[in-house]
Amino acid sequence: MPTQPSFTMGIEEEYLLVDRDSLALAEAPDGLMAACQSELQDQVSPEFLQCQIEIGTRVCKNITEAREDLRRLRACVASQAAKYNLAPIAVSCHPFEDWKDQSHTDKDRYNALEKDLGGVARRMLICGMHVHVGLEDDALRVDLMPQMSYFLPHLLALSTSSPFWQGEDTGLASYRISVFDNLPRTGLPPKFESWADYQNTAKVLVDLDLIEDTTKIWWDLRPSDHYPTLETRICDVSPRMEHTLSLAALTQSLLRMLWRMKEQNLRWREYDRFLIGENRWRAQRYGVTDGLIDFGRRQIVPFPELMDELIDLVHQDAEALDCLAEVEALRGIVSHGTSADRQRRVASDAQTDPMKAVVRHLIEEFHQDL
């Protein structure tokens, strides 16, 4: 009888550093990175741009462990940044800064990225949130990928936090996706018939020295190169820590639901990537303010109804994983809006400098759950 997956979780987040006075982006001082790494070791690292910093939780058995570790990581970055009059913001695009004014981190991996990708890489003034879920069986990871892809637009819609770009409202809830999709090897994952099929496909690019390993494959959902996990990469980063945890809990619960169906000799229907891509666009454009397509019903279903259906779908699994409260808390995002909606409200209400008002709001939200 197959062994049940661990369904452990790990969360990675990327933050931007801003000056507390000007609210503009600021490069991470060497002393800041050194202090964070002294306290957090390899759980913190530089990112592609010098104004970015990345954290990753330990392997967590449940959402309680994830909350404790994520709070510790966020609190460390915030307290060390404050010593330099800086603050982290967990947002996928800075509201008013220009990518042309930023410098990339002088590190072999990032130097190679800029060389390989040219101007596409230089525009990458974006941050994301990734969730790893422990699925130790390689064949299971590949089998669940096309089924899990159906739910990627739902996760994106709930996470959207990047409505502004270079001081303008883009009209999108997630402009980050538009920037990221300029990279190669992005978007919805293709379907593979087996783990060997996936390995052989990736090996073509590795053997040609086009990529050194599968970490250079940036699909919305991928088998991790380093860990026995399936990794969702579609989400914008969430300013509020509790929203990050709710999205991680939903991701974990969905994968357990799909595994449970498999154990009952059932499957979630695999829809064409073209159709899922339409929902991905709707999530990118509207967040939760408009619905997604229910392909079975051939209707656009409002997000409150979709959220109720999702919670019913994973209720048993969220209970088993002890994260039902976090999953049910996603109703609050649907009712009150995503970060993109909150940012727009702040900008609309601001008497002066609406984009700076948005950054101040993002600083406050980062500290809200610490």
Side-chain angles (χ1 to χ4, degrees), residues 268-342:
W268 192 262
R269 181 172 173 180
E270 296 172 16
Y271 289 94
D272 191 279
R273 292 171 76 235
F274 172 75
L275 295 176
I276 298 173
E278 188 66 21
N279 265 348
R280 184 181 186 269
W281 160 247
R282 293 187 62 82
Q284 177 186 353
R285 172 68 174 85
Y286 301 112
V288 298
T289 63
D290 208 333
L292 299 180
I293 306 165
D294 183 311
F295 302 121
R297 292 156 61 178
R298 298 198 173 209
Q299 293 178 350
I300 296 174
V301 179
F303 221 95
E305 185 178 339
L306 287 176
M307 194 70 251
D308 288 342
E309 290 175 357
L310 267 181
I311 292 171
D312 287 345
L313 190 64
V314 302
H315 190 282
Q316 174 182 337
D317 306 281
E319 275 194 328
L321 296 167
D322 200 20
C323 63
L324 182 59
E326 285 77 11
V327 171
E328 290 183 331
L330 289 167
R331 285 195 176 102
I333 294 180
V334 178
S335 298
H336 304 298
T338 67
S339 173
D341 301 313
R342 296 194 302 276

Side-chain angles (χ1 to χ4, degrees), residues 86-104:
L86 303 178
I89 55 174
V91 66
S92 281
C93 293
H94 189 282
F96 63 81
E97 282 282 53
D98 192 325
W99 60 268
K100 293 187 290 292
D101 297 330
Q102 309 309 314
S103 301
H104 80 273

Side-chain angles (χ1 to χ4, degrees), residues 69-330:
D69 205 26
L70 188 58
R71 180 179 287 122
R72 181 178 65 90
L73 294 168
R74 282 192 172 214
C76 173
V77 173
S79 63
Q80 294 297 341
K83 296 176 183 177
Y84 295 89
N85 197 41
L86 303 178
I89 55 174
V91 66
S92 281
C93 293
H94 189 282
F96 63 81
E97 282 282 53
D98 192 325
W99 60 268
K100 293 187 290 292
D101 297 330
Q102 309 309 314
S103 301
H104 80 273
T105 301
D106 185 14
K107 192 176 177 182
D108 287 347
R109 174 179 172 83
Y110 299 134
N111 291 336
L113 267 180
E114 186 179 37
K115 181 176 180 294
D116 290 345
L117 301 175
V120 172
R122 291 193 289 274
R123 292 184 69 243
M124 293 284 289
L125 184 55
I126 56 174
C127 294
M129 185 267 281
H130 309 155
V131 178
H132 292 257
V133 176
L135 299 170
E136 290 75 13
D137 184 275
D138 291 336
L140 178 64
R141 289 196 278 165
V142 164
D143 185 48
L144 295 190
M145 270 212 309
Q147 299 175 68
M148 182 64 181
S149 292
Y150 178 87
F151 300 101
L152 295 174
H154 302 70
L155 293 170
L156 172 61
L158 289 161
S159 72
T160 49
S161 72
S162 48
F164 301 115
W165 181 254
Q166 297 184 4
E168 296 185 2
D169 191 327
T170 66
L172 275 64
S174 174
Y175 192 71
R176 162 189 154 265
I177 289 288
S178 295
V179 177
F180 197 70
D181 281 351
N182 284 295
L183 293 179
R185 304 179 294 279
T186 56
L188 295 167
K191 179 181 178 180
F192 299 100
E193 297 302 322
S194 65
W195 180 253
D197 184 23
Y198 163 69
Q199 285 188 309
N200 290 336
T201 301
K203 190 173 183 292
V204 173
L205 302 188
V206 173
D207 288 350
L208 290 170
D209 290 328
L210 299 176
I211 58 175
E212 66 266 26
D213 54 41
T214 57
T215 62
K216 293 287 183 68
I217 294 174
W218 299 301
W219 299 322
D220 297 337
L221 176 68
R222 71 179 185 187
S224 172
D225 183 77
H226 298 319
Y227 310 107
T229 65
L230 205 52
E231 177 189 5
T232 56
R233 303 170 49 82
I234 197 168
C235 289
D236 276 9
V237 65
S238 296
R240 296 181 183 174
M241 184 186 76
E242 285 299 324
H243 290 171
T244 295
L245 293 165
S246 286
L247 289 162
L250 178 58
T251 302
Q252 184 190 33
S253 299
L254 283 167
L255 284 168
R256 189 185 187 278
M257 179 272 295
L258 294 173
W259 166 81
R260 176 169 54 83
M261 288 183 67
K262 182 180 175 65
E263 291 297 288
Q264 298 168 355
N265 204 29
L266 300 170
R267 294 181 67 81
W268 192 262
R269 181 172 173 180
E270 296 172 16
Y271 289 94
D272 191 279
R273 292 171 76 235
F274 172 75
L275 295 176
I276 298 173
E278 188 66 21
N279 265 348
R280 184 181 186 269
W281 160 247
R282 293 187 62 82
Q284 177 186 353
R285 172 68 174 85
Y286 301 112
V288 298
T289 63
D290 208 333
L292 299 180
I293 306 165
D294 183 311
F295 302 121
R297 292 156 61 178
R298 298 198 173 209
Q299 293 178 350
I300 296 174
V301 179
F303 221 95
E305 185 178 339
L306 287 176
M307 194 70 251
D308 288 342
E309 290 175 357
L310 267 181
I311 292 171
D312 287 345
L313 190 64
V314 302
H315 190 282
Q316 174 182 337
D317 306 281
E319 275 194 328
L321 296 167
D322 200 20
C323 63
L324 182 59
E326 285 77 11
V327 171
E328 290 183 331
L330 289 167

Side-chain angles (χ1 to χ4, degrees), residues 57-72:
T57 67
R58 301 185 181 107
V59 177
C60 300
K61 294 178 183 176
N62 50 48
I63 201 69
T64 300
E65 286 190 7
R67 176 177 287 104
E68 291 171 358
D69 205 26
L70 188 58
R71 180 179 287 122
R72 181 178 65 90

